[in-house]
Amino acid sequence: MPMRAVVLRRCAASLLVLALVAAVPAAPAFADRYRDRYEDRRGGYNDEYIFVATRSALDLDVHPVAKVPLVPLTLILDLVALPFEVIAGVF
């Protein structure tokens, strides 16, 4: 087998293991937070999709100085996606 194929196979296997390890603990940690949020909003318009990237960037657990360069980028992203965010609030 060529050396490049062996290296690619090892990289793919290690990335798969890393993705599985990173994803397994994240699911139960946030389950109760989202369940309570969406059970209360049956019917009506859901405005949680509007500017969700900016809100998520502001809720990060990092030093406030690290948030400063993220906010303009997330604002641009949210403004571009605003029509889709408004439509998603209906469903």
Side-chain angles (χ1 to χ4, degrees):
M1 207 180 246
M3 185 65 168
R4 182 176 177 176
V6 173
V7 171
L8 287 176
R9 187 171 293 175
R10 286 184 184 169
C11 285
S14 56
L15 287 175
L16 178 65
V17 169
L18 180 64
L20 290 174
V21 168
V24 170
F30 298 112
D32 58 340
R33 187 169 97 181
Y34 292 115
R35 186 180 322 117
D36 296 336
R37 183 187 307 175
Y38 291 113
E39 286 178 358
D40 297 339
R41 294 198 166 254
R42 300 238 170 154
Y45 185 77
N46 185 1
D47 64 345
E48 292 180 1
Y49 293 107
I50 309 269
F51 289 98
V52 70
T54 304
R55 276 191 255 157
S56 298
L58 293 175
D59 290 341
L60 286 174
D61 290 332
V62 295
H63 196 274
V65 174
K67 293 180 188 181
V68 172
L70 289 177
V71 172
L73 294 173
T74 57
L75 281 173
I76 292 170
L77 177 69
D78 280 328
L79 286 174
V80 169
L82 186 62
F84 302 104
E85 294 170 351
V86 170
I87 293 171
V90 176
F91 297 103

